[in-house]
Amino acid sequence: MKVVARHRNLAMLIGLALIWGSSFLFIKVAVRELTPATLIVGRLGLAAITLGLLVPFVVGTGETVRELRANWVWLVVVALVNTAIPFWLLSWGETRIDSGLASIIQAAVPIFNALIAFVAFREVRVTGSRLLGVAVGFVGVALLVGAQPEGKILGALAVVGMAFCYGVGGLLSGRYLQAARPVVVSFASTAIATLVWLPVGVAEAPSDLPSWKTIGCVVALGVPGTALAYLLFFGLITGAGAAYASLVTYLIPPIALAYGAIFLNERFGAAAFGGLALILAGVALGTGAVGFARLRRAASSG
């Protein structure tokens, strides 16, 4: 049974990385015809509908309503900080920078998580090698942003802002929404964020029907890219633990880089790969996946 569970978790992890890695490609294609707000309404609207159909079967209608009522304040806050704002920042950023570069910058989310935890969430201890990881990761982010031409710096900074929002949102969820089931939080986040952007998204919608390619990208982002990905991610957390689920951070950038190179003909220089190496090293240290104590134990055991 343990072997089956390990294989299942590995398959879920790889599937999640492939789905989230492709999201950067689909966003890059969709924002050629749609504004970020219109894209978000389509993407999150489809995700909210999909999750809304699943929640009654997974949790039950009565329990869902109870959890929504009991946690509505922080559900709104997390929906804004963890979905509505970062989704717009990422989509807007990709109107100016390559999809692969955006995926590298988003890998810094655990770095921001560790930094914000050190400053404002003292119940999450971040000391020693983890603080060093934060510093190393920020050097990687600075290298990536600083290497951008003048016209692309704002786009890179927007994706940095997205990573910061995800860091805040994850910590707020952990502190204030532990009593709510993850699928309920996911449904509430996508539904609330859709309502937030609905007026702007409708006002900025194109007068002509978008191409089939753009429509396909929105559907891919909404159903597998958001609804299914949320279920896989929270399923990994439940079945294998948060530390195992966080490994997806390492898998997304190379997958997104491959998608961008193959389908969008994107090319990346030494700064991109150097920044990626520093960010992933910072994530490994900042999340405690690799630390001085572990390295010493490994060396002594060898």
Side-chain angles (χ1 to χ4, degrees):
M1 293 297 292
K2 290 184 178 180
V3 173
V4 174
R6 284 199 297 268
H7 288 166
R8 182 184 66 247
N9 291 333
L10 178 60
M12 291 172 65
L13 182 69
I14 294 173
L16 180 62
L18 291 172
I19 292 171
W20 271 347
S22 68
S23 295
F24 298 90
L25 165 68
F26 291 134
I27 290 172
K28 187 67 177 179
V29 174
V31 294
R32 294 171 180 172
E33 293 188 60
L34 302 176
T35 68
T38 303
L39 171 59
I40 289 171
V41 170
R43 175 184 184 178
L44 293 180
L46 286 171
I49 292 171
T50 304
L51 290 168
L53 293 173
L54 291 175
V55 166
F57 296 98
V58 176
V59 179
T61 303
E63 184 63 19
T64 300
V65 172
R66 189 196 67 79
E67 291 189 9
L68 290 174
R69 287 178 175 174
N71 301 281
W72 72 270
V73 173
W74 286 107
L75 285 172
V76 171
V77 173
V78 169
L80 294 174
V81 176
N82 203 54
T83 303
I85 297 174
F87 272 48
W88 186 90
L89 288 172
L90 175 60
S91 299
W92 187 85
E94 285 206 45
T95 64
R96 286 159 173 76
I97 64 174
D98 290 340
S99 65
L101 177 60
S103 74
I104 295 175
I105 297 175
Q106 71 80 39
V109 170
I111 301 298
F112 284 101
N113 193 292
L115 176 64
I116 298 163
F118 176 75
V119 174
F121 289 75
R122 295 306 176 94
E123 68 268 27
V124 184
R125 294 188 61 191
V126 183
T127 57
S129 62
R130 294 194 176 194
L131 284 178
L132 175 61
V134 171
V136 171
F138 268 111
V139 171
V141 172
L143 174 63
L144 285 173
V145 175
Q148 300 310 304
E150 184 176 351
K152 295 185 177 183
I153 289 179
L154 287 179
L157 288 175
V159 182
V160 173
M162 174 215 71
F164 178 83
C165 286
Y166 279 150
V168 175
L171 290 168
L172 290 175
S173 299
R175 175 182 283 185
Y176 298 109
L177 292 176
Q178 288 185 347
R181 288 176 173 82
V183 68
V184 175
V185 177
S186 301
F187 167 65
S189 296
T190 54
I192 293 168
T194 300
L195 293 176
V196 168
W197 285 109
L198 186 60
V200 181
V202 171
E204 295 181 349
S207 55
D208 298 326
L209 186 69
S211 67
W212 65 267
K213 185 182 295 185
T214 298
I215 295 174
C217 287
V218 174
V219 173
L221 286 166
V223 181
T226 304
L228 176 59
Y230 275 1
L231 295 177
L232 285 174
F233 183 64
F234 289 123
L236 274 174
I237 291 176
T238 302
Y244 187 89
S246 69
L247 293 176
V248 74
T249 302
Y250 300 90
L251 300 177
I252 289 175
I255 291 172
L257 286 170
Y259 283 142
I262 295 170
F263 298 106
L264 299 177
N265 199 33
E266 295 178 350
R267 296 293 180 265
F268 306 95
F273 290 105
L276 174 61
L278 288 172
I279 289 172
L280 293 184
V283 169
L285 289 169
T287 59
V290 174
F292 296 136
R294 290 191 179 190
L295 292 176
R296 284 195 297 268
R297 286 197 299 269
S300 62
S301 64

